[in-house]
Every structure is written in C-alpha cells, then in structure tokens.
Amino acid sequence: MEKVLETVNLSAGYVSGKKTDVILRDVTLMLHEGMLVSILGANGIGKSTLLRTISGVQRPVAGEVLLCGKPIGAYNRRRLSQLVSIVSTDRTYAGGFTVEELVGLGRQPHTGFFGRLDDLDRQIVAQAMESVGIAHKAKAFVAELSDGERQKTMIAKALAQEARIIILDEPTSFLDVASRIEILRLLHRLAHEEGKSILLSSHDIAQSLAFSDRLWLLASDRTLTDGVTEDLVLDGRMNDLFVSDSVVFDSVAGEYLLVGNETKKVAVEAANLELTRWTANALRRNGYAVVDAAPLRVVARGAHDFLLPETGETASSIAGLLTLLQSERL
Amino acid sequence: MNRFTVVLVSVLVVLAALAVGLLFVGTVRIPATEVMNILTGGVSEHQPWNFIVIESRLPLIITSALAGAALAICGLLLQTLFGNALADPSILGISTGSSLGAGCVMLAFGSPLGAWLGAAAGGYVATLLGAFIGAMVVMLVLLGFSVVVKSSTMLLIVGVLVSYLASSAISLLNFFSTKEGVHSFVIWGLGNFSGVTLRQLPLFASVILLGLLASFMMIKPLNALLLGRRYAENLGVNLQSTRNRLLLITGVLTAVVTAFCGPIGFIGLVVPHISRLLLRTSDHMRLIPITVLLGAAIGMFCSFVSVLPMSNGIIPINAITPFIGVPVIIYIILNRRKIFYFN
C-alpha cells in the first residue's frame, strides 16, 4: 500500500520569540493509504500538536513532514488543501448553511474565484453526502442537526474536498456511544472502500481499539510507538500511555482498570466469561483484588446462584453476594 | 421564483419608491410637475427649486443610499470576520475612532495647524484623512488584540473599551476647543446624510463603490470563514491576508461615511441580520448583494423620515436609526434559539 505521509526525525512544538517549546522530539512515522490510524495518549501529551504539524497548520520545529514524498512546505495552500482535509471540534458559525451548502464549501480548493459549483462539483457533493449517510438532510440547516449529524456533515465536507488524507481531532468527543460507533464505522469504511488515509485522535479507547488498523501510541514519556492495534495491546504497550500505577490496562477486558487499593484477595470461578467479568467487577469495586488463586473463593454458577465454598453460604444475586462478603468481613 | 429573486425584486421596488419619495417630498414643497421638469433637464421659473432638486435632493438620495450600503456591508464583513452577531463599526469602536480623527481636525481648525491643514487640503479632505486615520488606528489596535485575545466576545469588549477611550479624548478636545468648533462637531456627530455637496459627491461615491466592489471579491473566503479559522485555512484561505483585506475595506468605508455623514450607528448592526432573516441563508454570494441594496434602502428611509414636512427642518439621522435598530436586535436576542443561522 502506498505511503502518503511520513515524518523524518520530526520535532513538533511551539516557537514564540526566541523561546522554543519542543513537545515531541524525533518522531518518525508513516501513514499508508486505505488505513484508519488512531493517536492515543494522555491529555496535554501533544496529540493535537502532532496533528497540527502533520496537517501543515503548524511548522515543524525540526525535521520534516513528507506528503506524498515531498516536504509539506513545498505545497502551496491550494495544493495542500487538495491533499489534506481536516475535521475539528472548533466552533463554527455555519448554522445558516444547509448541509448541502456546507459540504459544497469543501469544493473550495477546486473552484474558481467566487467559489461557484459546476455540475461535476454538485455531483461530488451529492456523493459525499450519500457516502456518510446525510443525504436525506441535504436541505436542512446545519443549526438544526444533532451533534452526530453535524459531525457526519463535516466528514462529508472533508470527502468533497477529495483529499487523500483526512485528519480528525477528537471526532467523537461530543457524541453518544451509538453515534461514536457509527462515525468510526463510517471512517473505517472510507479508509477501506475509498482508499482514504484516516488519522484521528481520540480518548475513546474502546472504539479506537475496535476500528483502528494501526495505533500511534503517545507514551507518557512523549515517545511514539506505531504498530498494528492488536500487536501493541498484546505487547502490553497500552500501559505506557499513563504514568499512574493505579490505572492498568486489562488486555482481556480491553479497558483501563483501577488497581492498588485492594485490601483482600479473592479468586473467582464462574460458569462463563460474562459471569467472571461482572462478578470481578463488583468485587474490585468493593476493595478485593481478583487473583487466580486465593484462600477466599467465590463460585458463580449462574446470575442467580453464587457460592462461598469456604463457608458453604449461597446468594441469589450479586447484591446478596456482596452482603455475604460484608458480614464475612465482620 | 426562488427566495433570492423575490427578495431582490422587493428590495429594488422599495428602493425605487424611496428614491421617488425623496425626490418629491422635502422640507420645501415643490410641485411634482416642477420636479419632473427640472429632472428632465428643464429649468424652473422659481430659481431656488432648481437648486433644491439638483444640488440638495439628488445628492441626498445618492449619499444616503451609498452610506447605508457601506455601513451595512461593514457590519456584515465584521460579523463574519469576528464570528460575532453583534459586531459592527460603531460597537467595535471604529466609528468612534473615526470621530476622534475627524474631531482632531475639525476642532483644531481654530489652531494654526488646523487652519493650515484646512487651507492646504480643502477642509473636507483633511477631515476625511483624520477620520480614516482614526478608523485605521482602532482597526490596528483590534488587530493587535485579536492575536492575543482569541475569544471574539473579549475582542468585542476591547472594541467597546477603545470606544470609551476615544470618546473621552473627544470630550477633552471639545473642552479645549472654540465654541464654533464644538458646535460644528456636535452637529456633525448627530449624523446627517445631506452634508455631501454635489461637488464632493464624485469622490464620496467612487470610494464607496470601490469598497463595495472589493467586498464582492471576498465572497469565497468569507464563506470559508464561517467554518472558523482552522477549517478556512484548510480550505486554502490565507487567513492573514484575508483578515487584513477585510479590515482595510471596513476601515475605508467606515472612515468615508463617518467623515462625510458623522458616526452613524445601528445600520451596520441590523441590516446583515435582516438580510439573513429575509434570505434564510448565511451564504455571502446571496447576502452581499442584498445587504448592499437593503442598506441603501434603510439609509434612504432614514433620510426620508428626517426630511418629512412636519419635522420642521432636518431630524438628525442618529435619532432615527435606533428606532429601526433596537427592535430588530431585541427580536434577534429573544429568538436566538429559534433563528436558523446561529451555531
């Protein structure tokens, strides 16, 4: 697959006057065609700085960003806007445009002095709206859309721009879970079916793990690791993201868990994975470390059938189990 | 017919009606047949009537139309540039800056420097220059702050504060000026579309027409700016130069109108809103022409009210514009959630 973007010893940061504030040092990355890549990292670690630098909004402090083999600085504004399109969460004042008109603004890098759309432009706009599933709202005002629909409209704008790379800064941060999944599925489809290179930053670990072909992990020491999602998870790299000792990535559950304040150990034997997962969840919340083997054991035979083998007591729900354990402690 | 055509035709009809009204109605009663006669090149036996129609009513019509259009366009450009529905030349302090500049020249006429300036440049050119410099200084201050102050609401507040400073400087100037200087400055400050003479009209008209033309050239970047800075930049807009060009256009237009007609409020604020509400769009391709025409219509309407026969002389423009502006602004504030173009 073709390499559309790469960085060579890139340092990103801010220059104000004589002071240079380097946020990321010596980053070497590659972005290929037809892939969805997520940047994950803690707040303030430099995700947005990296995105801004590789989208050409901000100049690199050192090193280079190569776009289709050429330094990003070698492109003029118009050419650059035909290659890279962005979707941000910045405030817009576009409520008075219809969806169709806003998506039409994506054609600006291709249109003439007054930005008038010709038949081909209109066709591309219609296709973009169709592709993200917002065509039924074409005549609606942007101000009337839900957050999810608005985000789809912005993605359609990026598509109408016909850029090979689409960069999205936290595209799902204001959305409910259903819309988040929908947007990520859409982006994944655009990468795989339309050959777009999609790069997004996110705090939504679950959806990023589900839909990203690759992850760029910005570790707490500001080093960047690039790899296929599952390889990085299995190598335990997810634990590099946060400094905290009490927040650990559980690679079985695929999520971060709070550990370290447990006072007792407990072993769980359950009839199935679902029971294991939720019994452990309740126990952890109540101060137990869930381990493979411990003197205290909980046997979950069903959602309504729990047993403490040591005392022979039974409970018919998690609520009952917790009451038992509490009296046990006394 | 689409909405744009309907609005366009209606505004043109209103414009024509107002023009006719302003030709035939005035503080002096002139029979309609005589007005027609003078307009078609004839000469009335009643000598002052010739003068009134050609040297007073015609310039008044053109001045109020052009000034209204210029202020309305300034409001539209500033609202889009600052992403703020309440931006306009008077609120951002540009008009006040312009007044200060003009005031410096007008009130200094008593002083040797002022007399020299007046003699050298022919009075109104010096005032014009003063107004322009004043407007540009405020523009530059706003521009400087806009680099540091990211929030457009805060920038608006900076504008209001600058405006207060300029006002107090104007008070100081008044305090130290001659009685005649203060009198003419106060009269000028009331706003007046009848101050442009037939001789000054070509300069006034050509500068404003150039400014209006220039704003038509900004349609594409203006639309992109509605998406916010980052999106606009990503669409290939050069933010720096776009912003500078917009500020130059509004600076020149505000300065010219302020120098000739005084600082006039509300037209710049409300006309863009009325245009959006009528057209139901934020698209500058349609907004700019309608804003120009509607601004002209409202300018002429103000003139019409100011010269109504029962008014016993000319009512100051700034006494009329709030009656048009305030209700519109209150309507917009009350209906903010319902109005389609917010957010």
Side-chain angles (χ1 to χ4, degrees), chain A residues 99 125-140:
Chain A
V99 168
V125 168
Q127 258 166 22
M129 289 191 297
E130 201 64 57
S131 184
V132 305
I134 197 76
H136 61 291
K137 294 263 180 171
K139 303 287 178 201

Side-chain angles (χ1 to χ4, degrees), chain A residues 207-220:
Chain A
Q207 297 332 320
S208 293
L209 291 179
F211 289 103
S212 309
D213 297 305
R214 294 183 84 88
L215 294 181
W216 291 0
L217 296 183
L218 262 174
S220 49

Side-chain angles (χ1 to χ4, degrees), chain B residues 34-54:
Chain B
E34 284 296 307
V35 175
M36 282 308 294
N37 176 31
I38 296 167
L39 279 179
T40 48
V43 176
S44 168
E45 287 163 23
H46 194 67
Q47 193 51 39
W49 289 355
N50 294 316
F51 179 82
I52 288 172
V53 172
I54 300 297

Side-chain angles (χ1 to χ4, degrees), chain A residues 52 57 77-78 81 84-97 101-102 105-109 111-116 141 143-144 150-151 154 157 161 169, chain B residues 80 82-84 152 216-221 223-239 280-286 336 339-343:
Chain A
R52 276 201 292 273
V57 176
R77 278 170 209 286
R78 198 179 170 94
S81 59
V84 182
S85 58
I86 62 159
V87 174
S88 77
T89 44
D90 290 2
R91 186 174 170 9
T92 65
Y93 311 92
F97 284 118
E101 286 166 349
L102 192 146
L105 290 183
R107 295 302 297 160
Q108 281 209 354
T111 54
F113 187 77
F114 286 104
R116 278 195 181 280
F141 284 115
E144 301 164 347
R150 201 176 285 217
Q151 200 59 276
M154 286 324 229
K157 183 233 63 158
Q161 215 169 321
D169 196 355
Chain B
T80 300
F82 289 111
N84 195 310
S152 57
F216 274 88
M217 312 291 230
M218 303 299 286
I219 287 173
K220 192 173 167 182
N223 278 339
L225 275 177
L226 286 177
L227 293 180
R229 290 165 185 224
R230 267 218 268 171
Y231 277 120
E233 200 162 28
N234 182 244
L235 287 172
V237 174
N238 183 339
L239 284 183
R280 289 185 70 73
T281 189
S282 297
D283 178 11
H284 291 81
M285 183 71 99
R286 283 169 280 168
R336 203 181 160 91
I339 292 178
F340 67 96
Y341 57 79
F342 281 107
N343 298 309

Side-chain angles (χ1 to χ4, degrees), chain B:
Chain B
M1 271 206 295
N2 61 24
R3 188 176 273 272
F4 178 79
T5 321
V6 173
V7 174
L8 181 71
V9 170
S10 326
V11 177
L12 284 174
V13 168
V14 172
L15 264 179
L18 282 166
V20 171
L22 278 168
L23 273 176
F24 292 96
V25 181
T27 40
V28 176
R29 276 198 59 145
I30 305 174
T33 47
E34 284 296 307
V35 175
M36 282 308 294
N37 176 31
I38 296 167
L39 279 179
T40 48
V43 176
S44 168
E45 287 163 23
H46 194 67
Q47 193 51 39
W49 289 355
N50 294 316
F51 179 82
I52 288 172
V53 172
I54 300 297
E55 302 259 333
S56 164
R57 288 189 184 175
L58 267 183
L60 175 68
I61 291 170
I62 297 171
T63 305
S64 43
L66 287 175
L71 291 172
I73 274 295
C74 286
L76 177 61
L77 301 191
L78 291 171
Q79 285 169 14
T80 300
L81 177 62
F82 289 111
N84 195 310
L86 292 179
D88 95 320
S90 55
I91 286 187
L92 283 168
I94 303 162
S95 299
T96 325
S98 211
S99 299
L100 178 60
C104 284
V105 176
M106 289 171 75
L107 298 173
F109 264 127
S111 73
L113 176 71
W116 177 80
L117 261 178
Y124 75 93
V125 178
T127 313
L128 190 63
L129 212 63
F132 179 69
I133 292 170
M136 283 333 252
V137 167
V138 175
M139 276 292 182
L140 288 177
V141 170
L142 287 176
L143 212 70
F145 270 99
S146 74
V147 177
V148 191
V149 185
K150 294 285 179 219
S151 147
S152 57
T153 315
M154 289 298 147
L155 198 63
L156 211 66
I157 293 172
V158 170
V160 173
L161 291 176
V162 170
S163 182
Y164 273 116
L165 269 183
S167 298
S168 76
I170 291 171
S171 309
L172 270 179
L173 272 177
N174 274 316
F175 184 74
F176 290 111
S177 177
T178 59
K179 206 171 137 194
E180 293 72 31
V182 173
H183 181 74
S184 66
F185 186 71
V186 167
I187 295 293
W188 171 82
L190 293 173
N192 181 6
F193 287 144
S194 50
V196 182
T197 64
L198 196 60
R199 195 170 64 87
Q200 296 164 345
L201 203 54
L203 173 73
F204 181 79
S206 48
V207 174
I208 286 183
L209 287 175
L210 266 178
L212 295 179
L213 190 70
S215 66
F216 274 88
M217 312 291 230
M218 303 299 286
I219 287 173
K220 192 173 167 182
L222 280 169
N223 278 339
L225 275 177
L226 286 177
L227 293 180
R229 290 165 185 224
R230 267 218 268 171
Y231 277 120
E233 200 162 28
N234 182 244
L235 287 172
V237 174
N238 183 339
L239 284 183
Q240 198 80 37
S241 94
T242 301
R243 189 162 71 169
N244 291 347
R245 275 181 286 163
L246 288 174
L247 289 181
L248 186 70
I249 295 170
T250 38
V252 169
L253 287 178
T254 308
V256 172
V257 174
T258 309
F260 280 104
C261 311
I264 289 164
F266 287 105
I267 292 184
L269 184 57
V270 298
V271 174
H273 285 290
I274 302 174
S275 307
R276 287 189 202 101
L277 289 171
L278 287 177
L279 287 171
R280 289 185 70 73
T281 189
S282 297
D283 178 11
H284 291 81
M285 183 71 99
R286 283 169 280 168
L287 268 184
I288 287 188
I290 296 301
T291 303
V292 165
L293 294 175
L294 202 62
I298 290 197
M300 284 163 73
F301 178 75
C302 290
S303 280
F304 188 69
V305 174
S306 80
V307 298
L308 278 181
M310 61 275 218
S311 68
N312 251 337
I314 293 176
I315 303 173
I317 297 295
N318 277 331
I320 303 165
T321 52
F323 283 96
I324 303 168
V326 173
V328 175
I329 297 305
I330 289 178
Y331 171 82
I332 286 165
I333 290 172
L334 290 181
N335 292 282
R336 203 181 160 91
R337 290 191 180 283
K338 275 186 275 171
I339 292 178
F340 67 96
Y341 57 79
F342 281 107
N343 298 309

